[in-house]
Amino acid sequence: MKRIFTCVLLMFLLFVPFASSEVVDPMDRVKALMDVDAILLAHKSVAVNRIYYDYEGNELFSAFLYAGADADGGQLFVSEDSEGNVEILSESGCVGLDTWSMKMYVMGFVMDEYEENILQMKQNFFADMRLNEKFFSEEMKDGARVITTKTYYQGDYEGECEVVEYIVDEESGKLIEIYEYFEDEAGERILNSRAFVTMDMEYEINPVLSSIFETENTRNVYIHLPDGTQTLFTPPVDTELTIIYPEEYVLYEDEMKTRMYAGEEADENGIYPEDTHLYLDVFG
């Protein structure tokens, strides 16, 4: 019941007119606009395409994030960049493509790391978390509502700040663009990034990546946990497995836990061992 009430409250905050700032704290309304769970209650997907710029206004690179559902109706999160790197996290499987090594890999999440990574992606979906972000102003401009926040720097950069403009469509109440600036003490701004927000778009997984989930030519990787249980991963025989576990733990190659795990090694044909046993324990 608590979860249902929270979702209803977030949906309410999404569509509360911004003029009623005396009722709801402005930053609460800003956060509600970017609540991925609330958005996915009203839309089948949400995507953010962000372009980054250098100090002279030249485009450096771009990044794309997508949250929605896969073909089976399970949650799907996608991260891409202009270099061609891709990571796909879904309930059906987690896979990536690293353009530096030109390799595909499967991700295996141990313990609660899958849920933790999904939570972190949701929190940083629209922008990195800013602990000191404060509401600054709100105005109408070209048929949209512009909500501006500032995060002031400390120490050597005191007086300078990061400025974010959230552009909200006045008619629908949806977040449609985000601008991030660096602002100096004189109030001069330099554009750091610009993001475009799209609702209800379709995302097609690259067939090469999706084929990893369909292959029957798999191997076994056993992760033995400190409580005596084990987790089994079955990646393809020719695909690297990246194991993601809590930072306070260490992964070992032997049951006596004397040799730390340094990653997988394939043979000369690119094939990994048929059975692998690894052992997780608390660091120190």
Side-chain angles (χ1 to χ4, degrees):
M1 180 63 71
K2 182 178 180 182
R3 177 181 174 84
I4 294 174
F5 173 77
T6 301
C7 291
V8 171
L9 176 60
L10 287 169
M11 290 297 292
F12 170 76
L13 289 173
L14 280 171
F15 297 102
V16 168
F18 281 85
S20 59
S21 59
E22 71 279 5
V23 177
V24 181
D25 182 90
M27 281 307 301
D28 286 341
R29 295 201 303 273
V30 171
K31 292 174 184 177
L33 283 168
M34 298 183 290
D35 187 278
V36 175
D37 288 325
I39 291 172
L40 292 179
L41 286 175
H43 302 274
K44 61 183 179 181
S45 70
V46 57
V48 176
N49 187 23
R50 186 181 302 275
I51 303 171
Y52 294 87
Y53 302 91
D54 63 18
Y55 286 120
E56 296 179 351
N58 301 309
E59 183 177 331
L60 290 173
F61 65 96
S62 62
F64 172 81
L65 290 173
Y66 176 90
D70 60 20
D72 298 322
Q75 66 180 357
L76 172 66
F77 287 85
V78 180
S79 173
E80 298 183 359
D81 64 30
S82 53
E83 300 295 322
N85 298 296
V86 182
E87 281 197 348
I88 297 173
L89 274 65
S90 76
E91 296 172 33
S92 303
C94 303
V95 63
L97 172 64
D98 177 25
T99 56
W100 183 79
S101 63
M102 292 307 297
K103 285 184 177 181
M104 291 187 295
Y105 57 92
V106 172
M107 289 170 277
F109 293 89
V110 179
M111 304 175 77
D112 296 327
E113 284 303 287
Y114 176 78
E115 290 78 11
E116 288 295 325
N117 275 260
I118 293 294
L119 178 61
Q120 186 175 20
M121 287 189 71
K122 289 178 180 177
Q123 291 176 336
N124 298 331
F125 195 84
F126 293 96
D128 291 335
M129 294 290 288
R130 302 177 185 86
L131 296 179
N132 298 315
E133 185 176 13
K134 304 294 184 184
F135 174 81
F136 180 74
S137 67
E138 182 179 334
E139 62 180 336
M140 290 297 300
K141 185 177 180 180
D142 299 328
R145 191 169 296 276
V146 181
I147 307 158
T148 303
T149 66
K150 291 190 176 184
T151 305
Y152 285 93
Y153 301 133
Q154 304 296 322
D156 294 340
Y157 299 97
E158 189 170 356
E160 301 173 334
C161 64
E162 182 176 1
V163 177
V164 183
E165 290 183 345
Y166 300 96
I167 313 301
V168 181
D169 180 75
E170 181 67 8
E171 183 176 347
S172 66
K174 299 174 185 176
L175 181 64
I176 53 176
E177 288 183 76
I178 304 172
Y179 293 81
E180 296 185 10
Y181 303 89
F182 167 78
E183 183 177 283
D184 63 19
E185 292 184 82
E188 295 292 327
R189 294 182 182 179
I190 298 174
L191 180 63
N192 291 332
S193 69
R194 179 184 184 185
F196 304 89
V197 182
T198 306
M199 308 290 183
D200 298 312
M201 72 170 290
E202 298 284 347
Y203 180 87
E204 292 188 16
I205 299 177
N206 186 309
V208 176
L209 293 174
S210 62
S211 65
I212 289 181
F213 304 134
E214 300 164 1
T215 181
E216 296 181 357
N217 192 13
T218 61
R219 56 197 175 93
N220 298 318
V221 179
Y222 299 90
I223 310 297
H224 298 268
L225 304 178
D227 63 2
T229 62
Q230 65 183 24
T231 299
L232 171 64
F233 298 107
T234 56
V237 296
D238 59 351
T239 305
E240 182 179 355
L241 174 66
T242 298
I243 303 166
I244 302 169
Y245 51 88
E247 62 180 9
E248 64 268 25
Y249 287 81
V250 178
L251 200 57
Y252 295 92
E253 295 181 347
D254 62 314
E255 190 172 1
M256 297 301 296
K257 302 172 184 175
T258 59
R259 299 190 306 274
M260 295 178 63
Y261 177 63
E264 292 193 294
E265 291 188 10
D267 62 20
E268 63 275 11
N269 298 314
I271 303 300
Y272 293 91
E274 182 177 352
D275 288 288
T276 301
H277 290 264
L278 300 171
Y279 304 84
L280 192 70
D281 204 353
V282 177
F283 179 76

